[in-house]
Amino acid sequence: MSLDNEQNVISAEDAKKAEELKAEANEHFKKQDFLESIRLYTEAINTNPTVAVYYGNRSIAHLKVECFGYALADASKAIELDKSYVKGYYRKAMAYMSLGKFKQALKTFEAVIKARPNDKDAKAKYTECNKICNKLAFEKAIAVDDLKKSVAETINFEGMVIEDDYKGPALENGKVTEKFMKDLISTFKEQGKLHRRFAYQMLLDVKQYLMSQPSLVDIKVPDDEKFTICGDIHGQFYDLLNIFELNGLPSETNPYLFNGDFVDRGSFSVECIFTLFGFKLLYPNHFFMSRGNHESQTMNQMYGFEGEVKEKFSSQMSNLFTEVFNWLPLAHCINQRVLVMHGGLFSKDDVTLDALREIDRNRQPPEDGLMCELLWSDPMPDKDRAQSKRGVGVQFGPDVTEKFCQLNKLDYIVRSHEVKDDGYEVAHNGKCITVFSAPNYCDQMGNKGAFITLNGKDMKPKFTMYSAVPHPDVKPMTYASQFFSSLM
């Protein structure tokens, strides 16, 4: 049916019903119930598919739940229906920005300016986006000129003076100790700072260790021991402390795996990452960290971590974090029975664990391939595969998970990457588990957080749910790109 024919058959009753659905969806959006607003906008669209605003509104709701691919499609459809719908261009640009496609975002704003040359807001956003593109081009040129010289090689932390009035935690003979970690947590809890000398030393030591690790790390959990898996924490430091309060501090008898997205969005990402890296250095064989899609330069530039590191330390340290994140393992296999990765499975069958071990991970995440999909993919209830709702990676069904587990002799997979109301979700006939550990994500989603505990003998997952705890009055996204924050 053509669009013209669709327009001709929309009854007054359907048009009225669609408007009512949109109004109801708007109320849920205001309450930050984004999933319900998406459902209602979809009903409105199904009732009357000719109104650009419905697609535009659903686009911003998709952006809120990080479905960037869907957001881009909706914004594009809104513009197709109404080329004068300026919000559609903004949301299309936002989706491009979220996907790291800055040049396409810039072209989108060029179209707005061409259509509405007197729109001051559009000009301002075009200017800001252009600055980001120029900055990225400059950084790329510098990287080529320097032949990608390592930032780590330029740092002399021993020459950094520790001031007499510094009262914070100190490494003991250059090493992380249990006392240091307790002092560090106490200092961070009171919003104190770690001295830059110790911060740089920890980062260099972590990088050196991670470089020795494979892309897929094998973990052995004895029969009678507990093992804990946590999902995204996204800079929510006080909720991280709550996990340790509920489940105990990491130790050789209380091992943990944190499954990516340690930073961004939450405004205590620096505190989170140094706490986690500290435990990694203290218990290298009993504390594990997987890379998430947010442990990347583009995400850190937009969602706040880069700005936070610059504010609390320096640009040089931000660049060093990029190098360290490149060496984080991409997946962990527990007792040869459970595979844990941040995102999910793959666009092709016959992917083996050995293939994952062979991934060259020391780089920024590519836009396709095994590394990309490990970081970005999502499960879906339907069989087979589908285009990613995020615009990166794939969606994979229960049959894909079943085949993968059979091929690699796995009981199930654990992944993170998605907000869940209860902090976790068991899908694909029990073979695909999502765990998300940032409660009330971004201070607005209202979800619980959760972590998984299992023992080495039966490997059966047990779930602990918890609510968000209070934190100092520093809002999420405080350090994010102004351009990005303004569009959210």
Side-chain angles (χ1 to χ4, degrees):
M1 184 185 292
S2 71
L3 185 60
D4 289 339
N5 287 336
E6 287 180 343
Q7 289 174 327
N8 291 335
V9 299
I10 300 300
S11 67
E13 182 180 353
D14 282 345
K16 180 182 178 183
K17 177 63 175 176
E19 279 296 301
E20 291 172 351
L21 287 165
K22 182 200 77 170
E24 188 179 353
N26 288 349
E27 289 304 310
H28 281 279
F29 186 91
K30 290 175 185 176
K31 296 175 184 175
Q32 300 175 339
D33 186 358
F34 302 120
L35 293 178
E36 181 62 12
S37 72
I38 289 170
R39 187 187 70 79
L40 290 164
Y41 288 134
T42 301
E43 279 196 42
I45 288 167
N46 291 339
T47 305
N48 183 359
T50 67
V51 180
V53 172
Y54 301 167
Y55 293 93
N57 287 5
R58 190 171 69 173
S59 177
I60 191 66
H62 279 311
L63 284 170
K64 289 287 189 178
V65 296
E66 302 179 7
C67 293
F68 308 131
Y70 286 174
L72 180 60
D74 274 347
S76 298
K77 181 65 176 178
I79 294 167
E80 177 188 324
L81 290 171
D82 183 358
K83 288 183 170 53
S84 67
Y85 180 55
V86 176
K87 286 184 178 179
Y89 291 93
Y90 288 165
R91 285 155 193 175
K92 186 174 183 178
M94 180 71 253
Y96 276 136
M97 290 283 285
S98 298
L99 292 166
K101 299 180 183 295
F102 300 104
K103 289 183 179 179
Q104 290 93 324
L106 192 64
K107 288 181 180 179
T108 304
F109 280 121
E110 286 175 351
V112 181
I113 291 173
K114 185 176 180 180
R116 302 183 65 168
N118 296 322
D119 190 319
K120 293 182 180 179
D121 189 44
K123 285 183 179 179
K125 287 182 169 61
Y126 171 84
T127 300
E128 185 65 26
C129 188
N130 195 36
K131 286 180 182 177
I132 294 173
C133 288
N134 290 338
K135 177 176 179 286
L136 292 173
F138 175 75
E139 289 173 349
K140 186 175 181 180
I142 291 295
V144 172
D145 290 344
D146 288 349
L147 298 176
K148 296 186 177 180
K149 184 166 66 175
S150 169
V151 176
E153 295 174 4
T154 69
I155 294 167
N156 176 23
F157 63 81
E158 293 180 353
M160 298 177 186
V161 176
I162 300 174
E163 296 78 9
D164 292 338
D165 60 352
Y166 176 69
K167 304 299 183 184
L171 297 174
E172 298 178 26
N173 298 318
K175 300 297 182 183
V176 172
T177 62
E178 184 177 341
K179 180 182 183 302
F180 172 84
M181 288 308 302
K182 290 180 178 179
D183 289 346
L184 182 69
I185 288 172
S186 178
T187 297
F188 283 161
K189 191 174 182 179
E190 299 302 319
Q191 296 185 272
K193 281 187 63 175
L194 175 66
H195 194 279
R196 64 192 182 101
R197 171 172 174 165
F198 302 130
Y200 274 112
Q201 186 170 353
M202 288 176 68
L203 289 178
L204 294 176
D205 288 349
V206 164
K207 182 187 176 188
Q208 192 66 34
Y209 179 85
L210 293 177
M211 288 172 66
S212 70
Q213 298 298 292
S215 291
L216 169 60
V217 175
D218 288 288
I219 300 172
K220 175 61 179 174
V221 179
D223 285 354
D224 57 348
E225 287 193 12
K226 181 183 79 170
F227 189 85
T228 302
I229 305 171
C230 298
D232 307 37
I233 56 171
H234 275 298
Q236 297 184 196
F237 176 69
Y238 295 85
D239 294 309
L240 172 62
L241 295 189
N242 189 41
I243 293 173
F244 295 150
E245 184 71 24
L246 294 170
N247 196 55
L249 286 172
S251 70
E252 292 183 354
T253 58
N254 193 28
Y256 280 82
L257 165 57
F258 280 82
N259 195 29
D261 282 13
F262 322 116
V263 301
D264 280 337
R265 291 193 177 270
S267 295
F268 303 95
S269 293
V270 163
E271 290 78 5
C272 284
I273 195 62
F274 277 116
T275 299
L276 297 178
F277 277 163
F279 280 122
K280 182 62 185 173
L281 290 169
L282 182 57
Y283 304 116
N285 299 316
H286 297 85
F287 191 89
F288 304 91
M289 299 171 68
S290 290
R291 190 174 186 175
N293 63 302
H294 274 266
E295 278 70 57
S296 69
Q297 188 174 29
T298 299
M299 288 291 177
N300 295 163
Q301 287 172 334
M302 292 188 297
Y303 288 92
F305 184 59
E306 180 182 281
E308 184 181 344
V309 176
K310 288 179 177 178
E311 175 73 19
K312 294 177 179 178
F313 287 99
S314 67
S315 296
Q316 182 190 48
M317 185 177 287
S318 176
N319 294 333
L320 179 56
F321 267 112
T322 298
E323 288 187 7
V324 177
F325 287 163
N326 282 352
W327 283 107
L328 283 164
L330 303 177
H332 293 77
C333 190
I334 305 173
N335 287 1
Q336 301 181 310
R337 294 172 60 184
V338 175
L339 184 69
V340 186
M341 78 291 278
H342 180 73
L345 297 181
F346 312 102
S347 55
K348 61 181 182 178
D349 291 326
D350 302 327
V351 175
T352 64
L353 298 186
D354 283 340
L356 304 184
R357 291 185 177 96
E358 294 170 3
I359 295 174
D360 178 10
R361 71 184 187 278
N362 180 27
R363 54 178 171 158
Q364 290 301 295
E367 293 188 4
D368 53 28
L370 297 184
M371 179 174 173
C372 167
E373 290 160 359
L374 279 170
L375 299 179
W376 278 97
S377 291
D378 295 293
M380 64 179 186
D382 299 326
K383 287 186 175 182
D384 206 358
R385 296 176 174 89
Q387 186 175 359
S388 171
K389 61 188 178 182
R390 300 176 189 267
V392 187
V394 297
Q395 293 188 88
F396 58 96
D399 54 327
V400 175
T401 304
E402 176 71 29
K403 288 178 185 176
F404 180 81
C405 288
Q406 284 184 354
L407 176 65
N408 292 286
K409 298 180 173 60
L410 298 170
D411 294 355
Y412 56 91
I413 65 171
V414 176
R415 41 89 62 184
S416 301
H417 195 39
E418 285 184 285
V419 181
K420 297 297 178 183
D421 285 344
D422 293 330
Y424 74 96
E425 180 182 75
V426 181
H428 294 185
N429 303 310
K431 292 191 176 296
C432 179
I433 297 173
T434 298
V435 59
F436 191 86
S437 300
N440 194 25
Y441 180 44
C442 292
D443 286 359
Q444 67 180 20
M445 297 299 288
N447 61 290
K448 300 287 188 182
F451 56 80
I452 297 170
T453 53
L454 49 82
N455 64 56
K457 186 175 183 179
D458 62 32
M459 301 290 287
K460 291 182 180 178
K462 297 178 181 178
F463 304 97
T464 299
M465 299 164 53
Y466 51 91
S467 299
V469 297
H471 62 76
D473 189 21
V474 184
K475 303 299 182 187
M477 303 287 283
T478 293
Y479 303 100
S481 161
Q482 289 184 354
F483 173 86
F484 185 86
S485 298
S486 68
L487 284 178
M488 290 299 280

